Amino acid sequence: MNKYEDIEQFLKQNGYTFQDVVDALGVVPATEASEALGKHSGYIRQMYVKSPEIFKTGSIVKLSKTYLITKDGIDYLKKNS
């Protein structure tokens, strides 16, 4: 069993889903955050690739093909854009 399977099994045994973990961490997919900012769905991804320095340190991470951004990171972008 690999790490992913271990985590998946732990979550299932304890009645949690991956979405529960994402919600608890206070992160959202970058596509959703982009739309919440009134931008097109690829906005945050494109900005992160072009100008990562405009993001609050540690507020965005790429997991597989999905970028996740913290709610604090979204607020930081709102204030500094």
Side-chain angles (χ1 to χ4, degrees), residues 4-75:
Y4 179 79
E5 292 169 334
D6 288 341
I7 292 168
E8 195 173 59
Q9 182 180 11
F10 173 82
L11 293 174
K12 186 180 260 185
Q13 288 173 344
N14 291 284
Y16 296 106
T17 65
F18 179 72
Q19 187 62 48
D20 293 331
V21 175
V22 169
D23 291 344
L25 292 173
V27 296
V28 295
T31 53
E32 184 179 316
S34 295
E35 291 169 356
L37 292 172
K39 306 290 186 179
H40 64 87
S41 63
Y43 174 76
I44 289 179
R45 177 187 52 79
Q46 289 175 354
M47 292 303 297
Y48 185 69
V49 169
K50 290 179 184 177
S51 305
E53 69 278 357
I54 69 168
F55 290 83
K56 184 175 182 179
T57 303
S59 68
I60 191 166
V61 64
K62 184 178 181 184
L63 293 177
S64 185
K65 295 179 180 180
T66 303
Y67 284 90
L68 298 174
I69 185 167
T70 63
K71 292 179 182 174
D72 187 43
I74 296 167
D75 292 339

